[in-house]
Amino acid sequence: MARRELMSNVDRAWLRMEAPSNLMMVTALLTTKEKLRYEDVLDLLKERLMIFDRFRQRVVNRGIIFEDTYWEDVPFFDPADHISLAAIPNEDPRAELQALVGELMSTPLDYDKPLWHITMVEDVRQGTGLIIRLHHCIADGNALVRVLLSMMTTDKAILKPGRKTKKEERPTFLDPVVDVALNVWVAAETMVKLSYRLLKKPSKVFDWAKMTIDGGFSLGRLVLRWPDPKTLLKQDLQNKKLASWSFEIPLERVKEIRRGAGATVNDVVVTAAAGALGRYLKNRGEDISEMNIRAAIPVDIRRATDPFAMGNKFGLVFLSLPVGMEDIRERLTEQKRRMDELKNTPEAFVSFMVLNTMGAAPREIENLVLDVIGSKTSLVLTNVPGPSIPLYLGGCEVDNILFWVPQAGRVGLGISVISYNNKVRIGVATDANIIPDPSKIVDDFERELDAMHALFASPEAAPSP
């Protein structure tokens, strides 16, 4: 009999959020400068991914009166069943790759197998693309980042797993250089800073969030907030996702804005995202005057002593974006104030406990809570700084890294900003019914950064009062 393990309530909550219009998948895209060999990718999966049980287990439900959900080992598991090959025309590889990513975001995973899949795209210019899809019940976005990093190396001489070089080879997640890069990726200057003070002693904060007035206040504020305005972002969803992303933006350009404005990288990025959404909504005919919309922002609460634990170890904070504030200085000042205010609340931990309760409740209750929370937000927003050094996969330099987290309920827009090797990219995933042209949000984000750079990065620019 196959070994079974009871699924946690939080993971079960994300499993049951799956809907045809919003598939609960974390999606990542890696591209390399040179061609990857299929055999090397398969060897990497066997050696480094298969050490995690979740990638060899499928989801099963058992029980007649009260149904429980389990992880069950798959007999005779073969990772080759989770790799497919694809090809795109090279005339316009970026557009073709974006179309393929959107199509895969709209394609459910096979529930008879472990819930992950890699599409290996051959001949993306001179290199290879890997589109990696992982069901949210297996792990959250931060865990996926750690898993991806465990497959990479900082040393190009390590051509493939199992092949010894002059330097002793060891698993990359134990390499101190990559470990530093990983810590930078998932911690430094990310949205984790919103709860940084609380993360110093997470176990105590859990008790605090449960028992203090602040925790109760955060829960009440979460439930009693006014719904977001009924913009075009609040229309019905359909089962078709679209994906777009920017060209490379030098990270130093963003840091120049940060220094000139006396802000953080997060302040700059989120302010640019708010401005881009304001531009887009206004161009679509929305009256954005004094408009604010909320973004759900994942905050990692995983213990530092267990960085490679699978599962969902994050909460959500709900940040109000002043999209109707067209003056950039005013918007940056106000956005920074709102973000600083969130730092002193246990909102991320309260939302984690709500998710834990949802997973244990009947599905009808979960759907009701999801509708209530979903009415109060219009998008998911993530900002993740990646390693500042180039990484290698199977001996090939990784050129670009992008990833998107799913949107639950009636939310149909996800914006992710990620830096890697001192370059920044913004990725946008949308439901085709509400935003049929996500590339315009990408363009507006770049315009906002240009305007902010012109305003703050000159030698005469001074921080806003």
Side-chain angles (χ1 to χ4, degrees), residues 65 69 120 164 171 173 269 289 384 394 414 461:
I65 300 177
T69 305
M120 189 170 176
K164 299 298 180 181
F173 55 85
V269 167
S289 57
V384 180

Side-chain angles (χ1 to χ4, degrees), residues 302-371:
R302 185 172 275 98
R303 295 176 186 272
T305 55
D306 198 11
F308 288 98
M310 292 291 98
N312 289 276
K313 308 289 184 182
F314 75 98
L316 297 169
V317 295
F318 297 87
L319 178 66
S320 180
L321 307 178
V323 298
M325 195 173 286
E326 298 188 53
D327 184 280
I328 293 177
R329 283 189 183 273
E330 292 181 4
R331 189 190 331 128
L332 176 59
T333 300
E334 177 60 18
Q335 193 70 82
K336 178 177 175 56
R337 184 192 69 78
R338 296 179 186 183
M339 293 174 70
D340 289 344
E341 186 179 74
L342 277 176
K343 294 177 185 178
N344 297 312
T345 72
E347 188 165 283
F349 298 94
V350 170
S351 65
F352 177 84
M353 289 185 289
V354 170
L355 288 168
N356 188 68
T357 303
M358 286 168 58
R363 187 183 294 269
E364 293 76 15
I365 300 297
E366 177 173 345
N367 292 339
L368 177 62
V369 175
L370 190 62
D371 286 343

Side-chain angles (χ1 to χ4, degrees), residues 86-97 121-125:
I88 57 175
N90 245 337
E91 290 77 14
D92 190 359
R94 185 166 176 265
E96 295 291 341
L97 195 56
V121 188
E122 302 176 306
D123 299 325
V124 179
R125 292 191 170 93

